[in-house]
Amino acid sequence: MQPLLKDFLEAALEGEMDSYLSSKEADNRRNGKGKKTVNTSYGSVNISTPRDRKSGFDPELVPKRQTVIGEAFENRILSLYAKGFSYLQIQEHLLDLYGVDISVGKLSAITDKVIPLLKSWQSRRLDVFYPIVC
């Protein structure tokens, strides 16, 4: 789950950045990436976080200086996307459960980045052998 969660978080942050830059003044643009370690219920995940030149981008899914993502939050996001919920339904769930108010436009930008990753992960080739320790 760690690689999928890493890809999901990075794609979601890229979607948030796309939405942020499209709604702000034209002279602001991307300015590389920062590194961040986020603790999840699946272990630590190292992610790259996008930056903008004016340092005004403040992501909502993984806010600045936040290093812990709760199990309920990460599972809810993954399950909502996997179940094919509408943007309004996802927006309502995130607001009701976590107090995170994400616009439909921002959700659209995030899902445009995340859905191809999920489809790729779902259609990947499985290993022939999976060891199990009892």
Side-chain angles (χ1 to χ4, degrees):
M1 275 308 273
Q2 282 180 323
L4 176 63
L5 191 57
K6 173 186 173 33
D7 291 342
F8 170 81
L9 289 172
E10 288 177 348
L13 289 170
E14 289 296 328
E16 278 194 75
M17 176 62 88
D18 290 346
S19 176
Y20 173 77
L21 290 176
S22 68
S23 67
K24 296 297 176 188
E25 59 265 356
D27 60 335
N28 195 8
R29 59 184 184 273
R30 292 177 183 275
N31 189 29
K33 296 183 185 244
K35 299 283 183 197
K36 183 176 195 174
T37 300
V38 179
N39 296 317
T40 72
S41 59
Y42 302 107
S44 295
V45 177
N46 295 318
I47 60 173
S48 298
T49 57
R51 297 183 306 210
D52 65 309
R53 290 218 178 254
K54 294 189 175 185
S55 299
F57 175 61
D58 192 17
E60 294 179 33
L61 288 177
V62 184
K64 290 180 180 179
R65 293 173 288 287
Q66 179 180 342
T67 59
V68 177
I69 296 178
E71 179 180 357
F73 187 67
E74 65 199 34
N75 288 340
R76 174 64 64 187
I77 292 171
L78 291 173
S79 70
L80 292 175
Y81 284 117
K83 290 179 181 177
F85 275 47
S86 73
Y87 297 132
L88 272 175
Q89 290 170 321
I90 294 171
Q91 180 186 36
E92 289 170 3
H93 277 289
L94 293 178
L95 183 59
D96 289 344
L97 295 175
Y98 308 107
V100 176
D101 189 16
I102 299 176
S103 71
V104 172
K106 190 176 283 189
L107 283 173
S108 175
I110 291 169
T111 56
D112 287 347
K113 299 274 185 183
V114 171
I115 288 175
L117 290 172
L118 287 175
K119 288 188 186 285
S120 162
W121 184 80
Q122 289 172 336
S123 62
R124 77 191 185 289
R125 294 183 60 76
L126 298 176
D127 292 336
V128 176
F129 180 74
Y130 287 92
I132 299 174
V133 179
C134 296

